[in-house]
Amino acid sequence: MSALERGRTPPSTAAVCACALLALLGLGQARAASLQVAPTSLQLSARQNAEALWVSNSGSAPVSVQARVFRWSQRDGRDQLDPTTDLVVSPPMQSLAAGQQQLIRVVRAQPEPPDAQLSYRVIVDEVPTLDPNREGMQFVLRYSLPVFIQPAGSAAGKPELQSSVLTQPDGKVMLEVHNRGDGYAQLADLAVGPLDRPQVFQPGLIGYVLSGQTMRWPLDIPATRLAGATLSAKINGGAQATPLSPTPPAR
């Protein structure tokens, strides 16, 4: 999934989806985006100490790359990225010649199996080039890649979601989802209506709800259309829509 982001937004406010965020582009002249990263997410088992990312330059000019890692949590219904030493990336900075591919290792500093699923983000940035003759603004690529470490003695955990629809004073609606399960949930293709004929009103990736966390998203649909209707989403890449069961009203 992808979204556009201008400039170099600080990681704490970057959109945290498994995504590439916009190419280098001049207003007077343009060159095609060249930085590519694979895979778009990492899953480490409880006793796995390292995993690999590949960065490549498919363009015709050199590209400088910076990789950083952050602990990923969710606070007040929003994603939060905080500096961490739990994981390290090597090398953290590099320059790729045209057509070059480079391995980046993501290594656990403390390899002991965790008690619960851990979540991180690796931010891979294209570093802007210093060109005094450039006209207009400069845009750079950013990849924000989720990294999950599974707990000891367990396969990937499973999410258990509770949701509610909140109506704001201005009449707009928000979806609040709490994950009581022991594994993350990736939500995509929000839909309303019967599960065998769901009508998608917000296609594509909506976001993640981490284990034990709560997230909120604005809904692009009138509140009246949600009254008595089934709200659903595709969870963790599933092909079928899953109902988002509402929580009982707060007392």
Side-chain angles (χ1 to χ4, degrees):
M1 303 291 178
S2 64
L4 297 183
E5 177 184 77
R6 293 189 175 184
R8 299 195 58 188
T9 306
S12 60
T13 58
V16 284
C17 51
C19 60
L21 301 178
L22 191 67
L24 182 64
L25 179 65
L27 294 183
Q29 59 184 48
R31 79 175 169 87
S34 56
L35 178 64
Q36 298 176 348
V37 180
T40 56
S41 66
L42 297 178
Q43 301 274 351
L44 280 73
S45 64
R47 298 189 179 277
Q48 185 177 357
N49 293 335
E51 188 54 280
L53 288 173
W54 287 94
V55 294
S56 58
N57 178 8
S58 60
S60 58
V63 172
S64 295
V65 178
Q66 180 184 35
R68 295 167 293 164
V69 63
F70 296 86
R71 183 66 185 268
W72 179 20
S73 62
Q74 292 167 334
R75 304 172 193 168
D76 299 322
R78 303 179 67 179
D79 287 303
Q80 178 71 35
L81 298 182
D82 296 300
T84 182
T85 57
D86 294 352
L87 298 179
V88 295
V89 290
S90 179
M93 296 195 69
Q94 58 196 300
S95 179
L96 299 178
Q100 183 181 359
Q101 187 179 52
Q102 173 68 46
L103 175 72
I104 294 180
R105 288 177 56 82
V106 181
V107 182
R108 294 171 62 184
Q110 299 178 344
E112 294 81 6
D115 295 328
Q117 187 179 77
L118 302 179
S119 53
Y120 301 88
R121 284 269 171 178
V122 173
I123 306 295
V124 180
D125 283 312
E126 179 180 4
V127 179
T129 57
L130 181 60
D131 183 356
N133 297 319
R134 179 179 299 277
E135 297 181 358
M137 293 185 293
Q138 188 177 20
F139 297 83
V140 291
L141 262 172
R142 164 170 291 175
Y143 287 83
S144 177
L145 313 174
V147 180
F148 297 102
I149 301 176
Q150 304 306 332
S154 174
K158 295 183 179 180
E160 183 180 346
L161 305 182
Q162 291 181 322
S163 70
S164 56
V165 176
L166 311 175
T167 302
Q168 306 299 301
D170 59 3
K172 296 182 179 179
V173 290
M174 299 277 293
L175 173 64
E176 180 178 272
V177 182
H178 176 67
N179 184 1
R180 300 190 304 176
D182 57 1
Y184 69 87
Q186 181 204 64
L187 276 65
D189 293 345
L190 279 179
V192 65
L195 293 180
D196 58 344
R197 298 187 308 277
Q199 299 178 11
V200 176
F201 63 90
Q202 284 185 220
L205 177 67
I206 305 303
Y208 287 78
V209 191
L210 303 178
S211 174
Q213 307 290 305
T214 300
M215 279 292 289
R216 301 186 191 97
W217 298 280
L219 295 181
D220 188 19
I221 190 172
T224 53
R225 191 177 172 193
L226 294 174
T230 299
L231 187 64
S232 63
K234 293 179 180 178
I235 308 297
N236 290 344
Q240 302 297 321
T242 299
L244 297 175
S245 302
T247 57
R251 293 174 179 260

